[in-house]
Amino acid sequence: MKNYVIIISGRGSNMEALLTANLPGRCAAVISNRPAAAGLVYAARQGVATVVVDHKAYPDRAAFDAALAAEVERHQPDLVLLAGFMRILSPAFVRRFAGRMLNIHPSLLPAFPGLRTHAQALENGVRLHGCTVHFVTPDLDTGPIVIQAAVPVLDDDTPESLAARVLAEEHRIYPQAARWFLEGCLHVDGLCVRLSRPGPIPAALSFPVG
Ligand code: GAR
């Protein structure tokens, strides 16, 4: 059975969606860079091994990334899932897990990389906003896109209300992307990801762009 590792920084709702999705693999560990991350409590309750690699305990990014990479490697993952991990990873770290590391980002990339994505969507007057699961490459929020889901932006939206609508879609598409990866269905071709799976893409995905 394939192994995966989830890396979080906080609440862990995407991690929870992954852990409850009955993925065809085993979660070897949930790792957090923040000792107080709420997601650690949930993971431990589910019987998943939890580990803290506290970025504050390291003198610089290179040292933290080396320690994080060593911890991840220890679990020999086939797949690394960044789920609300809020630190920029060095190119050396990303190269080490190239082709087997996914991230969820709360915007329809390539629009709105970085932070404050929901506020940016409102400031820019977009009518559709959403979320993206992509392979992680050294440049921030730019890797090959696996699946996206779009939601309407409503006139009375606040960043919070929009975030909540997007988060519900995150919880749906991240487990789907992880499942496809663990089933060996994802093939990266430059910036594009091809999906080889028997049968059509599930009807529920016909509105989200996937
Ligand atoms: C999620 O909305 C995720 O997309 C975002 O942080 C939130 C974490 O929530 N990630 C990023 O912004 C990464 N750049 P969660 O801890 O409840 O999953």
Side-chain angles (χ1 to χ4, degrees):
M1 183 174 274
K2 287 185 176 161
N3 259 350
Y4 61 92
V5 161
I6 305 175
I7 310 182
I8 65 170
S9 290
R11 178 178 57 183
S13 70
N14 276 290
M15 172 211 73
E16 197 173 324
L18 291 163
L19 289 178
T20 53
N22 249 323
L23 293 175
R26 171 182 161 268
C27 182
V30 168
I31 303 172
S32 171
N33 65 305
R34 293 209 179 105
L40 289 172
V41 177
Y42 178 88
R45 278 203 198 116
Q46 300 304 305
V48 176
T50 57
V51 186
V52 174
V53 182
D54 185 350
H55 63 276
K56 290 194 179 137
Y58 296 89
D60 52 32
R61 186 182 304 282
F64 167 69
D65 279 11
L68 182 63
E71 181 57 39
V72 173
E73 288 285 21
R74 201 166 70 76
H75 302 283
Q76 303 191 309
D78 299 284
L79 174 61
V80 178
L81 295 159
L82 305 182
F85 178 64
M86 301 308 279
R87 305 233 355 136
I88 292 175
L89 290 165
S90 59
F93 185 100
V94 173
R95 274 196 295 273
R96 202 154 161 179
F97 300 101
R100 54 178 171 133
M101 181 156 60
L102 297 176
N103 180 47
I104 179 111
H105 182 76
S107 79
L108 291 172
L109 290 173
F112 315 136
L115 299 175
R116 296 184 64 254
T117 57
H118 310 300
Q120 285 192 67
L122 293 176
E123 286 157 14
N124 285 275
V126 298
R127 295 296 176 192
L128 288 174
H129 183 45
C131 47
T132 303
V133 178
H134 64 96
F135 280 92
V136 179
T137 54
D139 290 327
L140 184 67
D141 300 331
T142 57
I145 290 171
V146 177
I147 185 170
Q148 297 183 299
V151 303
V153 178
L154 307 180
D155 284 348
D156 59 352
D157 261 331
T158 61
E160 292 72 29
S161 65
L162 189 50
R165 197 173 311 117
V166 170
L167 192 64
E169 293 302 312
E170 295 184 35
H171 296 164
R172 207 168 56 73
I173 66 169
Y174 209 4
Q176 175 66 81
R179 181 178 307 281
W180 280 335
F181 184 98
L182 292 166
E183 289 173 350
C185 294
L186 298 180
H187 309 278
V188 179
D189 181 8
L191 263 185
C192 298
V193 178
R194 283 182 304 105
L195 179 65
S196 66
R197 68 190 296 284
I201 291 178
L205 295 176
S206 57
F207 169 62
V209 188

